[in-house]
Amino acid sequence: MSGARAAEGDGTRVLLVGEAAEGLAARLALSGYQPLEATAAGEAPQAVVLAPDSEGKLAALRRAWGTVPILLGLRRDSLEERVRCLASGADDFWLTDRPPSDLLARLRLHLRLADRAQPGEVVELRLADLVLDPSRRLVRRAGRDLPLTEREYQLLALLLRHRGEVVSRERILASVWEEGGGAASNVIEVYVRYLRQKLERHGGRRLLHTVRGQGYCLAERWPPCGEG
């Protein structure tokens, strides 16, 4: 049985930050992951697990590791706590009162998302002063780096590949959320709002538009997609 578990994580490096997160080290190791309490040179993590109330460390982790999935611990499951987690810049949450299998399932999901990042795509995607470099998973606007979560990056990449077109909610769910229709109905609106805030943080004009009843459009001028 232990051999089957070891194959699950396949040596994936998971950085554990905070006492509550570090308590998961033994369970992660049994499942084939490589728990890290610090990172050596050349040993970047493939995911980060944060203890509850560690939001203050998120900005530094994003600067250091880019779009690496970051999961923030929550002590209770409520809409307010989930919103706070997403607003902090984490990709997802894990619950301290749930068994470790719940965290492992979330880790597997985000690692699959990262694997779907289209490594063969090396051409920069551009719109106005917005640039996405898939080879380095780097996003800039007006020369400034934009630290994005993995979901935000995937959403922006999809919209940039179809810039000037309306992309439906159904297509976004199928492309960015592996669980498809099982995702919360308002999850796209939440991520669009966060992505739009980051794109416009330094006074940039609006590029990400809502097309009511149809979906979303990334365009330099408004229209072509409609009104919204």
Side-chain angles (χ1 to χ4, degrees):
M1 190 70 178
S2 60
R5 286 180 177 176
E8 178 184 299
D10 196 26
T12 298
R13 298 181 300 278
V14 180
L15 176 63
L16 305 174
V17 180
E19 185 175 347
E22 290 164 5
L24 297 164
R27 183 63 180 85
L28 287 169
L30 282 173
S31 298
Y33 294 86
Q34 182 185 349
L36 307 171
E37 295 182 15
T39 55
E43 193 178 30
Q46 292 162 273
V48 179
V49 174
L50 278 173
D53 304 317
S54 300
E55 294 93 329
K57 299 179 180 179
L58 273 161
L61 288 166
R62 279 284 171 227
R63 287 194 297 270
W65 309 119
T67 58
V68 165
I70 299 178
L71 283 69
L72 176 66
L74 300 182
R75 293 191 174 88
R76 62 187 179 89
D77 189 8
S78 69
L79 178 60
E80 293 78 10
E81 287 294 285
R82 291 184 181 213
V83 169
R84 182 175 67 85
C85 171
L86 295 177
S88 71
D91 293 284
D92 202 351
F93 61 91
W94 63 280
L95 295 164
T96 58
D97 61 351
R98 296 273 179 89
S101 57
D102 182 71
L103 170 62
L104 292 170
R106 292 176 183 275
L107 277 172
R108 285 195 296 271
L109 170 62
H110 287 282
L111 291 167
R112 284 201 301 272
L113 283 170
D115 286 342
R116 292 167 55 192
Q118 300 183 358
E121 181 185 8
V122 295
V123 178
E124 286 187 349
L125 300 172
R126 292 177 175 269
L127 178 67
D129 57 355
L130 176 64
V131 180
L132 185 149
D133 181 353
S135 65
R136 294 185 291 165
R137 300 183 67 74
L138 181 68
V139 178
R140 285 196 175 106
R141 183 159 194 200
R144 295 187 179 94
D145 289 347
L146 294 183
L148 302 181
T149 68
E150 178 63 26
R151 298 272 198 189
E152 290 167 347
Y153 177 89
Q154 295 285 349
L155 175 58
L156 180 61
L158 173 65
L159 293 171
L160 267 172
R161 286 194 294 270
H162 298 278
R163 52 197 176 276
E165 305 173 17
V166 179
V167 182
S168 69
R169 295 168 58 88
E170 292 76 17
R171 184 168 188 176
I172 292 172
L173 281 174
S175 299
V176 180
W177 275 266
E178 194 165 292
E179 60 268 37
S185 60
N186 66 339
V187 69
I188 297 177
E189 296 171 10
V190 171
Y191 276 89
V192 165
R193 183 168 71 249
Y194 294 149
L195 180 56
R196 186 177 279 151
Q197 288 171 352
K198 290 183 179 181
L199 290 173
E200 299 175 7
R201 180 168 294 164
H202 298 286
R205 72 176 184 275
R206 179 149 299 182
L207 297 176
L208 178 50
H209 310 281
T210 301
V211 187
R212 294 179 184 176
Q214 298 182 53
Y216 301 92
C217 175
L218 200 68
E220 187 171 356
R221 296 178 180 84
W222 189 253
C225 299
E227 298 181 1

